[in-house]
Amino acid sequence: MLKSILTLRPTTSDWIFSLKTFGASILALYIALMFDLDRPVWAMATVYIVAHPLSGVLGSKAIYRVLGTVFGAIAAVVLVPNLVNAPVLLSMALALWVGGCLFLSRLDRTPRSYVFMLAGYTAAIVGFPCVTDPGNVFATAIARCQEISLGIVCATLVSHIILPRHIGPVIATRVDGWMADIAKLAAQSFDPASDGDAIQNDRARIAADLGELHGLALHLGYEKSRFAGRTRQLQALQSAMAALLPVFYAIYDRLTALKAQTGAVPDALSALLGRISDFILAQHHDPKQTADLHRDITAYAKTLGGGDDWAALLQLNLCDRLHRLLDFHEDCHALWAGIRAGDVPDDVIDRWQESGGDRALHRDYGVAFRCGLTAFIATMMVCGFWMMSAWPNGATAAMMAAVGASLMSFLDNPVPALKGFIRYTAMAVGVVLIYSLVILPGIDGFPLLAMVFAPYFILLGVLITSPQTYGFALAMLVNVVMILNVGTAYSSNVAGVIGGGIASLAGFGVAAIVTAFIRVMPVDRHIRRLVRANWRDIAAIGKGKLKLGRMIMIRRLLDRQGLILPRLAMAPEHHETFLRVMPEVSIASVLYDLQRLRMVAEPALATKLDRLLANIAQHFEARLDDFTRAPDAVILRDVDHILRDVMGMPKGAAREKLLIPLVALRRTLSKDDAPDLGRYHEPTARNGQNGIMPVALIGETA
């Protein structure tokens, strides 16, 4: 941590942020002292807890914190008086509330999750100190709501009035950067000689960045930048940009296959790809040029004669993907231009709005349950010791156990962060002793109090702006404020300070121990859980049981890819697993197409498609129990049979609509060979079981 602090180079805006935050905290403390509120330090600490350099983010955190505080206070008011004569039951009820709220918080991957988490541990903060005086719980709940609200109002006013920094321009800069990344990815994807691994990493990085945009856009409703109120439009843009990623994968894959099949990409196709690449790199919105390129693609597709061999089929599929690329790219530019101009076409928003919602985000119910269970057990363990030992500071330890189990729950492994928080809490106790015994006895009046606080709080406030030092700075600031417990008159209670500090350390220590045993799982296991979640969804699509829309499902698969990427640095052995994620997005897309087309296919062909879909579903279900299941050529052979049947159909739109997803599926299943498109003869028997396929299917490229 010392190295991170020494290498930090604060900017002018960082110092301004620290000065503003300190000013807001001192204002909150002054008002709380002036009105003789019960716990003035709650108001001061709240300012630092919700502090953020961007006014929109601070505003949303403030609203969510108020709501969470109110819900948690209500829970404490309901539970404590009614269960105070049954301490075990009361402890269990509060622990269940904390755990249940944390479970809901971990399922919501938006800034709104703060409401649930805060509602959980606020009930502990209000409820446990009132166990010995239940008649005071309502007053304590009101006091906490008042002082939290006071701190939030001060922080919000100062942030929005004095040199505000809006999140809108930050989002604009990032979107411009992502659009440039998309253009670069297009140029790479149009070149079959490009490094496939590098392209895959770029796709995954863009997917991870786009996941961040979903959360950032939610903050726009809490500021007055020119992008205020554009959350829905930005989420539609995010969805349209994400839809480009599997299209780029398909284009690069078809070009690679075409080059392997024929030795080179045809000159006419290369020229067409060059024009499209130049158009995308130009980064401008030109519907006329887009329409011209669509016509050029259609004209080239007509020269393929409907696809009579594998090379022609690959190009036919490629042309379909190029049409899709131009459509999605056009929508991206229409949305972004409309957002900046304040006039987004409604029809474009409607196309993408549903897939831009929260349902497109991955939710891990298992991890959420383990988080909630950790909070419940940690809180109950401290409460059990408190009841058996009659520990005077047991309430503080129980509160800190609930807080500790909740705060770092978003991390894969919260234990190192909790250990750090324990160290910083111990250091904060030392700072409090210096203030209590050396500095504060000589202070008379609020101006001098603000002056002696200023050096420490302003210096630590600068560290909040850096992710590397945020945890250290916040712990050192909030713990000093809370343990020091400044009131209207000076009170030196060294025993109380040390006792409260020890209780806080014990609460966090229990949370860390329980987390290590229940919550922590190896990164390898996290990756496997994400991959298996993909397989479950793909199996459901194959069975026709998944009721989510196509683009919602594609977004969810891409979201998981973005979650896998940062974990690969700690589990490089899963690189090959990661390379299968994008093909699985392609499989999901194809299964949607085949489910739709089987409804209008001839009965014999529909039966074969049903069998293909069912066996793909069986395969992915089987892989849930056998992560490295060996490949089986049966399903690939069946795809080839269906391809040959479709090739024998009269040329036309129906034939082409079937060929496009089948070619994509064939390429996804096998990268090493081309199908035999000769006449198909049905085998007389398939494993002696009336044509039923074995369970082991697909394999390494799935």
Side-chain angles (χ1 to χ4, degrees):
M1 180 53 63
L2 181 60
K3 182 178 179 181
S4 298
I5 294 173
L6 294 176
T7 56
L8 187 66
R9 297 294 181 268
T11 63
T12 301
S13 60
D14 294 336
W15 286 106
I16 292 174
F17 163 75
S18 183
L19 287 168
K20 287 168 56 178
T21 305
F22 176 69
S25 69
I26 286 297
L27 175 62
L29 179 63
Y30 176 77
I31 295 174
L33 291 172
M34 183 175 65
F35 285 96
D36 197 23
L37 299 182
D38 290 345
R39 296 289 299 275
V41 292
W42 278 351
M44 186 178 187
T46 296
V47 173
Y48 279 99
I49 291 172
V50 302
H52 197 281
L54 301 174
S55 58
V57 177
L58 186 149
S60 67
K61 286 180 68 177
I63 296 296
Y64 297 145
R65 187 168 180 81
V66 168
L67 291 174
T69 299
V70 170
F71 294 151
I74 291 172
V77 169
V78 170
L79 294 174
V80 173
N82 291 299
L83 300 176
V84 70
N85 292 322
V88 175
L89 191 58
L90 174 59
S91 299
M92 185 175 295
L94 286 172
L96 277 172
W97 174 265
V98 174
C101 288
L102 187 58
F103 171 77
L104 295 175
S105 174
R106 291 290 291 132
L107 289 180
D108 188 341
R109 289 181 50 213
T110 71
R112 290 190 299 268
S113 64
Y114 196 41
V115 173
F116 300 109
M117 182 174 69
L118 198 68
Y121 68 71
T122 293
I125 291 174
V126 173
F128 284 126
C130 295
V131 168
T132 56
D133 186 12
N136 196 40
V137 66
F138 184 77
T140 303
I142 292 296
R144 182 159 180 84
C145 290
Q146 287 176 333
E147 288 148 10
I148 295 297
S149 299
L150 172 61
I152 285 170
V153 168
C154 292
T156 304
L157 287 176
V158 170
S159 177
H160 283 72
I161 293 174
I162 302 176
L163 301 175
R165 286 184 62 196
H166 297 304
I167 195 172
V170 174
I171 291 177
T173 301
R174 295 194 182 184
V175 171
D176 286 336
W178 291 328
M179 296 290 270
D181 289 341
I182 289 290
K184 176 184 174 184
L185 183 59
Q188 292 175 318
S189 301
F190 287 173
D191 181 6
S194 298
D195 183 351
D197 285 355
I199 294 177
Q200 171 69 355
N201 288 334
D202 287 344
R203 283 193 298 259
R205 178 179 51 78
I206 293 172
D209 290 343
L210 289 175
E212 181 186 3
L213 177 60
H214 183 91
L216 289 176
L218 291 174
H219 298 299
L220 286 173
Y222 302 90
E223 66 174 28
K224 296 300 181 182
S225 73
R226 67 190 182 102
F227 295 110
R230 297 282 183 261
T231 296
R232 188 168 66 99
Q233 293 92 328
L234 276 165
Q235 289 179 343
L237 172 62
Q238 174 203 24
S239 188
M241 293 176 72
L244 286 168
L245 301 179
V247 178
F248 282 131
Y249 164 79
I251 290 172
Y252 176 74
D253 177 78
R254 307 305 178 262
L255 288 172
T256 303
L258 182 61
K259 184 177 180 181
Q261 181 75 12
T262 64
V265 176
D267 292 340
L269 179 57
S270 293
L272 176 59
L273 291 172
R275 292 197 298 275
I276 296 173
S277 180
D278 291 341
F279 172 67
I280 294 175
L281 285 169
Q283 290 290 307
H284 62 268
H285 179 52
D286 188 347
K288 181 180 181 302
Q289 191 172 354
T290 301
D292 290 342
L293 289 171
H294 275 302
R295 282 193 294 270
D296 291 344
I297 296 169
T298 301
Y300 182 81
K302 289 180 179 179
T303 66
L304 301 173
D308 294 323
D309 56 27
W310 185 236
L313 288 177
L314 288 170
Q315 293 177 80
L316 190 66
N317 184 277
L318 175 63
C319 288
D320 175 78
R321 270 32 183 188
L322 291 174
H323 280 304
R324 191 173 297 179
L325 169 64
L326 289 176
D327 287 339
F328 293 171
H329 183 264
E330 176 78 2
D331 280 355
C332 286
H333 277 278
L335 283 165
W336 187 220
I339 289 169
R340 285 181 292 188
D343 182 20
V344 183
D346 290 334
D347 60 324
V348 181
I349 295 177
D350 292 341
R351 275 200 292 274
W352 297 102
Q353 181 179 359
E354 186 181 16
S355 58
D358 296 345
R359 289 197 300 164
L361 300 178
H362 168 70
R363 289 178 172 83
D364 193 323
Y365 288 87
V367 169
F369 175 77
R370 293 163 76 98
C371 288
L373 182 64
T374 297
F376 172 76
I377 292 177
T379 306
M380 283 300 298
M381 286 178 64
V382 175
C383 287
F385 179 79
W386 176 23
M387 286 183 285
M388 290 187 295
S389 64
W391 186 14
N393 291 301
T396 300
M399 287 190 306
M400 291 302 103
V403 172
S406 301
L407 281 181
M408 309 298 177
S409 61
F410 64 93
L411 298 173
D412 283 349
N413 182 4
V415 174
L418 287 171
K419 289 180 178 178
F421 207 88
I422 291 170
R423 289 196 302 271
Y424 308 147
T425 300
M427 295 168 63
V429 172
V431 174
V432 168
L433 290 175
I434 293 173
Y435 268 107
S436 295
L437 301 178
V438 179
I439 299 176
L440 293 186
I443 296 301
D444 183 16
F446 190 82
L448 285 177
L449 178 67
M451 289 178 62
V452 298
F453 276 167
Y456 178 83
F457 282 84
I458 293 174
L459 287 173
L460 269 294
V462 172
L463 301 183
I464 291 180
T465 60
S466 171
Q468 288 75 29
T469 55
Y470 173 81
F472 166 78
L474 187 65
M476 292 297 292
L477 287 166
V478 173
N479 279 316
V480 165
V481 170
M482 296 302 296
I483 299 173
L484 196 57
N485 198 20
V486 174
T488 53
Y490 170 72
S491 174
S492 177
N493 184 1
V494 176
V497 169
I498 295 176
I502 292 173
S504 296
L505 293 174
F508 273 105
V510 172
I513 293 170
V514 176
T515 298
F517 279 99
I518 296 177
R519 168 69 177 82
V520 176
M521 66 174 68
V523 66
D524 168 85
R525 188 172 173 186
H526 273 288
I527 292 176
R528 287 173 178 262
R529 289 179 66 86
L530 290 166
V531 173
R532 286 191 174 104
N534 275 1
W535 294 346
R536 279 191 292 270
D537 285 341
I538 294 172
I541 298 171
K543 291 180 175 182
K545 294 183 177 179
L546 195 67
K547 302 306 179 184
L548 291 177
R550 176 196 185 113
M551 284 311 304
I552 295 177
M553 190 68 253
I554 299 304
R555 277 285 319 283
R556 185 179 292 182
L557 297 176
L558 289 170
D559 180 55
R560 292 184 186 124
Q561 181 177 247
L563 295 174
I564 290 173
L565 180 63
R567 293 178 167 93
L568 282 182
M570 295 176 284
E573 69 276 9
H574 274 286
H575 183 68
E576 292 302 319
T577 300
F578 179 65
L579 292 179
R580 294 202 298 266
V581 175
M582 186 59 76
E584 289 170 0
V585 176
S586 179
I587 289 176
S589 180
V590 167
L591 293 183
Y592 272 106
D593 289 337
L594 294 180
Q595 285 283 7
R596 176 174 50 86
L597 292 170
R598 61 174 284 279
M599 304 297 293
V600 296
E602 295 180 356
L605 182 59
T607 300
K608 292 181 179 181
L609 289 174
D610 285 341
R611 185 172 61 189
L612 175 64
L613 291 166
N615 279 278
I616 290 176
Q618 279 186 329
H619 163 69
F620 281 103
E621 286 181 334
R623 293 186 77 176
L624 295 174
D625 298 321
D626 185 358
F627 195 83
T628 58
R629 191 176 185 85
D632 193 312
V634 174
I635 191 172
L636 185 62
R637 189 161 63 245
D638 203 58
V639 172
D640 289 351
H641 294 163
I642 297 174
L643 260 176
R644 289 196 289 270
D645 283 352
V646 177
M647 291 284 289
M649 294 171 58
K651 292 182 180 180
R655 177 179 181 269
E656 186 173 318
K657 286 180 180 179
L658 279 164
L659 284 175
I660 287 171
L662 287 169
V663 171
L665 182 59
R666 180 57 168 77
R667 273 297 301 165
T668 305
L669 300 181
S670 177
K671 306 291 186 184
D672 300 326
D673 65 344
D676 179 7
L677 298 178
R679 183 170 177 77
Y680 166 46
H681 299 283
E682 182 72 41
T684 56
R686 298 176 64 82
N687 305 304
Q689 294 292 329
N690 299 321
I692 297 176
M693 294 183 179
V695 175
L697 306 172
I698 304 180
E700 293 307 314
T701 59

